[in-house]
Amino acid sequence: MLFFLGIISPIYAQDIPSGSIIKNQELSNYLKESVKVQLGNESEISIAVLANYLREKFSERYFFNWKNKDERFLEYKSLYVSAEKSHIERAKDHMAKFPDAPQWKLPFNYQNGEPVNAYAMRHLARQHKMIDIAYLYHYRNKDTTYLDYFKNQLKSLNTALASDQYEKIEDGNGVFESFRSGYRVLNWLQIHNLFLGEESYTDEDELITIATLLQHGQHLYEHNAKFHAGNHQTRGLSALAMLSILLRDFEGTDIWYNHAMKLLEEHLSKEINDDGFQFERTVHYHMSDIGNYYYVYQLAKMSNLDVSPFWKDRLKSLFVSLTKIAYPDKSAPVLSDDTDDPWAEKNNISGALTLGYLLFDSPKMGYFANSQVDAKMFWYVTDKQLEMLSNIESKSPSMKSVEFATTGYYIMREGWEKNDKMMIISAGLDTDKPDHQHGDMLGVQAMANGKVVLPNYQVRYSLEDLELFKNSMTKNVALVDDELIGKQYTSNKGGSGFGKFLNLPKPKITAWEKNKDLDIFIGSHDGFENIGVKYNRQVIYLKDDFWIVKDNFTSEEKHTYKQVWQGHYTLEEGANLIRSSFDDASGLDILQINKADAVLNSGQRGKQWSVVSKMNENNFSFITALYPYEGYSNRIDENAKMPKIKGWELNTSSYNITGEVASSLSKGHEVVLFSAKSLELNSVKIEFSESSDMFIKYSDSVLTIQCLGKQDVKTQVKTSKINEAFLIKPGEVILIKI
């Protein structure tokens, strides 16, 4: 835990008001006694003296020294040339929509007469485009129009506060709700430091901003008395901690600090899983939490406050987790509510890992780092940290297949070369706050040959297609009839567009094993038990060739069973071989080993998917080879009677295999069996107590047997020399010397 200043006292910090703004001439009354003495201990400390003192303290404590902001801004312009256009567009957008003194309570209209909705209201409350207006002041030769706009908009919120005319927390889009208030504090602190020292940002203006920030801090303190799960409180507590560090000259801010750090530590403990992943299971919110903790950690270090190993280790684990989920091209898969770029099929994690490299000086993070930080983070790193990026120490990761057992992500990885394969399986459900989770239980995503061959898609809460892209038709999952995995979808009361599923299936992991021959994942969920169907999925990675997905359904009634595959597919052999090809002649073949009945292509927003179906069955298993290939000649030959897949032959093994519906894939002395009862080769005979899925390899007088199915299997091995019987569990490997 961070080193706390003082002890935790009763819930309210001295007399700083949360419902009104302290007048400038009264601010000095709220200073600590030691600061009053330092400033002369006069009966009334002048506005000029107090403003100058606080300017000096901000130059020492904030992320950058405002005295050097002009030089830093020139560097910013040089490094981020394309940023100017974006800043101008965003600033003009905000100023066109809202006057400098807008209303802060719905209903009201934009300046063009159209109504402001709840989604737009929350963005006004965050003040995230006010940053662009502050930039425009500097781009436009310090045109005071932009500085005055900020001052007036801040004052307008204070007026709304005084007259009680602002959106309340209970409305769902409260202006002082923890996330929106915390986001606004972060933005206004940066703007404040970009304006400090400017002639048009007078002592009076400076202290009005300080008084407003003090009111925000007290409000955040009072309305976050207890732990509440989720990033909304974390954002607010992060802002409260920042204010307590930067404004520690005022009486009572030590109490803010203690309280914020205590609750932030509770968030770190409860919301960063022991495997290092943020509990909401999305890359977007994972990186958002990195920001929340980064700001506090960075300011604490700059102010020489002790940071405990717990804080450091938990924060570091957030960065390490991003390296573990990364695709070979250094991007990351889309996991649930990732919202930066709607319909995108990857996440950019390089900016976050650049920060990780600067904080922890890790070459393994340096492998993913950029030579410059993201534009918005330029102002939150020190000059010394920026110098580190001129000579990044980089070390390629050595990890391959990994798991996040608590969070429920399982990753099958070939390696880190650009054309290497990687698949991620989603098999987790957060028990406390699954609001951001999608209908993708046991769904997969994959990259091969530098392409996302099995994608998932980012979403945006304000778009009408959120429910579609949040549920199962846009995932690589198995379905039954017209059932989707996400059920009871509901929108939030605030009207921002966000929606969640009230009913998501519970997963159960039967096995996860990885070795030099293959990786095997076996899991199930209860999402179809409402219609009497039991379901489980096996995912097998034959290193480093291709994947096999086996979907098993059992029911007393007849149903239509389905697999959904994302991508633009053509039908090479009807439902039983579909193909997606890319601009470099690489592609993905999806081959059904057990024959399916039909396939239907569909799509929306430029995305497409294929639904493969088996109709009118009680029990059925899809056995599906997912084969990414390089070049036309390496595809599965759609004209072959018994196609080969990367040297693996279908149902032509040299082994004698029995079983009513047995099938196999074999390559030399390796064979993958499905629904087999026995196997025999020369003098070796292997018998199973029931139809089983197994991997068998015979090499250097050693027989390897690995169970690929969901149940324990009694197995007997007979040769001229031995007769051994044993129970083999799902995923387990048995070695027998022959």
Side-chain angles (χ1 to χ4, degrees), residues 585 627 629-637:
Y627 170 53
Y629 63 87
E630 277 189 278
Y632 165 84
S633 61
N634 295 314
R635 76 195 191 286
I636 295 175
D637 186 352

Side-chain angles (χ1 to χ4, degrees), residues 60-265:
E60 299 166 6
R61 296 171 185 167
Y62 192 65
F63 299 96
F64 65 88
N65 184 344
W66 63 265
K67 295 178 181 179
N68 303 323
K69 67 177 181 292
D70 289 341
E71 293 83 356
R72 211 174 222 257
F73 188 75
L74 289 175
E75 184 180 2
Y76 178 83
K77 286 179 64 177
S78 174
L79 289 173
Y80 308 99
V81 177
S82 62
E84 181 174 358
K85 180 181 178 182
S86 173
H87 289 313
I88 291 172
E89 288 175 352
R90 287 166 56 86
K92 287 184 174 180
D93 176 73
H94 187 88
M95 295 178 76
K97 287 177 176 176
F98 303 105
D100 60 354
Q103 291 180 225
W104 292 87
K105 184 176 179 63
L106 294 171
F108 66 97
N109 294 336
Y110 291 120
Q111 295 192 100
N112 66 5
E114 295 180 2
V116 175
N117 61 22
Y119 186 80
M121 183 66 215
R122 71 176 189 169
H123 285 283
L124 171 65
R126 293 178 186 184
Q127 291 282 279
H128 66 298
K129 289 183 180 177
M130 190 63 73
I131 287 285
D132 302 284
I133 294 169
Y135 281 132
L136 205 53
Y137 169 81
H138 290 278
Y139 280 119
R140 295 290 173 83
N141 298 314
K142 301 191 176 182
D143 183 339
T144 57
T145 302
Y146 306 107
L147 194 156
D148 291 341
Y149 186 94
F150 163 70
K151 293 190 297 186
N152 292 336
Q153 196 146 106
L154 180 146
K155 290 175 184 176
S156 74
L157 179 57
N158 292 344
T159 300
L161 176 70
S163 61
D164 198 35
Q165 292 299 308
Y166 61 91
E167 288 293 313
K168 302 294 196 302
I169 291 174
E170 57 266 28
D171 296 331
N173 284 287
V175 172
F176 289 98
E177 185 270 337
S178 186
F179 184 88
R180 293 168 180 82
S181 180
Y183 206 143
R184 186 166 63 249
V185 166
L186 176 69
N187 291 331
W188 280 0
L189 280 171
Q190 183 182 349
I191 294 167
H192 179 65
N193 282 272
L194 285 171
F195 286 158
L196 277 176
E198 298 299 306
E199 183 178 352
S200 297
Y201 196 55
T202 65
D203 292 346
E204 289 276 356
D205 297 328
E206 176 193 342
L207 294 186
I208 288 172
T209 301
I210 295 295
T212 304
L213 292 171
L214 286 170
Q215 176 267 323
H216 276 60
Q218 182 63 18
H219 193 280
L220 284 166
Y221 175 72
E222 292 178 9
H223 288 82
N224 290 278
K226 296 181 180 180
F227 173 87
H228 295 288
N231 68 306
H232 278 233
Q233 186 180 71
T234 314
R235 171 68 272 159
L237 292 171
S238 175
L240 181 60
M242 291 169 64
L243 289 173
S244 70
I245 294 170
L246 295 168
L247 299 176
R248 59 182 183 265
D249 315 278
F250 290 91
E251 197 69 56
T253 52
D254 291 353
I255 299 172
W256 293 357
Y257 184 85
N258 291 336
H259 185 69
M261 291 306 177
K262 177 178 178 291
L263 284 186
L264 281 172
E265 182 173 327

Side-chain angles (χ1 to χ4, degrees), residues 594-634:
N594 285 348
K595 299 301 181 184
D597 292 333
V599 59
L600 177 66
N601 288 341
S602 187
Q604 193 165 318
R605 299 288 198 178
K607 304 302 180 183
Q608 197 166 4
W609 48 88
S610 294
V611 182
V612 180
S613 300
K614 186 70 176 181
M615 293 175 269
N616 202 34
E617 296 281 352
N618 296 82
N619 307 320
F620 182 72
S621 293
F622 290 102
I623 305 176
T624 310
L626 306 174
Y627 170 53
Y629 63 87
E630 277 189 278
Y632 165 84
S633 61
N634 295 314

Side-chain angles (χ1 to χ4, degrees), residues 584-738:
D584 59 356
S586 68
L588 176 70
D589 280 347
I590 300 181
L591 175 72
Q592 299 294 339
I593 294 174
N594 285 348
K595 299 301 181 184
D597 292 333
V599 59
L600 177 66
N601 288 341
S602 187
Q604 193 165 318
R605 299 288 198 178
K607 304 302 180 183
Q608 197 166 4
W609 48 88
S610 294
V611 182
V612 180
S613 300
K614 186 70 176 181
M615 293 175 269
N616 202 34
E617 296 281 352
N618 296 82
N619 307 320
F620 182 72
S621 293
F622 290 102
I623 305 176
T624 310
L626 306 174
Y627 170 53
Y629 63 87
E630 277 189 278
Y632 165 84
S633 61
N634 295 314
R635 76 195 191 286
I636 295 175
D637 186 352
E638 60 271 18
N639 298 313
K641 291 183 178 180
M642 288 295 180
K644 292 184 179 181
I645 314 171
K646 199 72 179 288
W648 291 80
E649 298 184 53
L650 178 60
N651 295 328
T652 57
S653 171
S654 57
Y655 294 94
N656 180 27
I657 301 166
T658 67
E660 186 177 344
V661 289
S663 56
S664 67
L665 283 165
S666 57
K667 185 178 183 180
H669 292 295
E670 299 176 76
V671 61
V672 180
L673 303 174
F674 297 103
S675 302
K677 281 287 289 180
S678 70
L679 175 147
E680 188 171 359
L681 177 65
N682 300 329
S683 62
V684 179
K685 185 171 184 179
I686 308 171
E687 296 177 331
F688 309 113
S689 57
E690 56 189 272
S691 295
S692 301
D693 300 342
M694 294 284 174
F695 171 73
I696 310 292
K697 182 174 76 170
Y698 181 64
S699 177
D700 297 327
S701 300
V702 175
L703 182 68
T704 301
I705 305 175
Q706 183 171 8
C707 179
L708 305 180
K710 66 176 183 176
Q711 295 178 332
D712 298 354
V713 179
K714 295 179 181 178
T715 304
Q716 188 166 29
V717 177
K718 299 177 182 179
T719 71
S720 58
K721 297 180 180 179
I722 63 171
N723 185 348
E724 289 191 21
F726 48 85
L727 187 71
I728 185 168
K729 297 180 178 297
E732 186 178 7
V733 178
I734 301 293
L735 302 177
I736 300 174
K737 186 75 172 177
I738 300 296

